Amino acid sequence: MSLVCMVAFFGYLVSQGVKLYYPQLELPVFSCAFVIGLLLKKGCDLTKVSRYINPQTTQRLSSSFTDMLVACGVASIKLGVIVKYAIPLIVLLLAGALIVFAITFYFGRHLSHNYWFERTIFAWGWWTGTMAMGIALLRIVDPKLFSKAMDDYAMAYLPIAPIEILLITFVPILFVNGFGLWLSLGCVVISALILLLAWRMKWWVNKN
């Protein structure tokens, strides 16, 4: 318990420290705690302390806290806002669900060398709801986290976070000022270049 809480605490301090010096950049505590956990694991291995740590116990504790995170994420949904903007939300929900379904269950199948469904179902929950929703779906199909999807997410989100913050900040402004079409075309072109890079680097997996 002390090890898990210590990792979470230092992850929180790192996240708040980055936010203090760079208010525009807010790293998720989960990702920061994951990096701290990796450093702690490396230190325990070097000092031979790992022999006294039971990985099954720490895994069960982490799983319990993950379930609490999911419950808090669901409880934070404000029903009043959903009722007030019901029609626009329905339109966005249908369009977003179709686009995300095509992205995750087609490209996810071809861009993952293993555990493609577990990684994809987490992305589906994250993109159509919140990270907590993605964790909940992942916990259903991969309760023991054999796929390491959460580990990969924690590492990958660190470079993604600044890009996501920029998109959330400037996309509404660009759409309001009439640059929505150009922005959409730019995103499509960048996505095509990323897929071309994946194909050239042989990251594309051909599956039946």
Side-chain angles (χ1 to χ4, degrees):
M1 178 69 78
S2 63
L3 287 173
V4 174
C5 291
M6 182 176 66
V7 169
F9 177 68
F10 280 103
Y12 174 79
L13 291 181
V14 171
S15 177
Q16 292 299 308
V18 173
K19 184 178 179 180
L20 178 64
Y21 290 99
Y22 300 97
Q24 298 82 4
L25 180 60
E26 185 173 354
L27 296 178
V29 177
F30 177 84
S31 297
C32 296
F34 182 80
V35 175
I36 297 296
L38 288 179
L39 296 176
L40 179 65
K41 178 67 166 59
K42 188 66 175 178
C44 291
D45 291 340
L46 292 175
T47 56
K48 308 298 183 182
V49 176
S50 296
R51 70 182 70 179
Y52 303 108
I53 301 175
N54 189 329
Q56 287 76 25
T57 302
T58 55
Q59 178 66 44
R60 288 181 179 275
L61 287 171
S62 300
S63 298
S64 299
F65 290 133
T66 300
D67 293 339
M68 293 173 60
L69 172 66
V70 173
C72 293
V74 174
S76 65
I77 297 175
K78 298 181 179 179
L79 296 179
V81 176
I82 296 177
V83 173
K84 183 178 180 180
Y85 300 100
I87 296 178
L89 285 174
I90 291 174
V91 174
L92 287 174
L93 187 147
L94 293 176
L98 291 174
I99 295 173
V100 173
F101 183 87
I103 293 175
T104 53
F105 289 100
Y106 176 75
F107 292 109
R109 181 191 295 267
H110 292 284
L111 291 175
S112 298
H113 289 269
N114 54 17
Y115 295 104
W116 77 267
F117 183 77
E118 288 80 357
R119 299 173 187 274
T120 298
I121 202 66
F122 169 75
W124 168 268
W126 179 27
W127 293 342
T128 57
T130 63
M131 185 189 72
M133 305 299 181
I135 294 175
L137 292 175
L138 178 64
R139 294 276 296 154
I140 292 172
V141 300
D142 185 18
K144 296 187 177 181
L145 302 179
F146 288 130
S147 63
K148 304 296 182 182
M150 290 301 303
D151 298 355
D152 294 340
Y153 160 78
M155 291 297 294
Y157 194 79
L158 291 175
I160 292 174
I163 300 174
E164 184 181 45
I165 292 172
L166 288 174
L167 289 174
I168 293 174
T169 303
F170 292 106
V171 164
I173 299 175
L174 292 174
F175 266 91
V176 169
N177 289 277
F179 295 99
L181 178 60
W182 292 107
L183 176 64
S184 301
L185 290 176
C187 291
V188 170
V189 171
I190 293 174
S191 301
L193 291 176
I194 293 174
L195 290 174
L196 179 61
L197 176 64
W199 178 73
R200 293 285 297 178
M201 298 296 292
K202 300 186 185 301
W203 297 335
W204 187 267
V205 180
N206 293 318
K207 294 183 179 180
N208 297 324

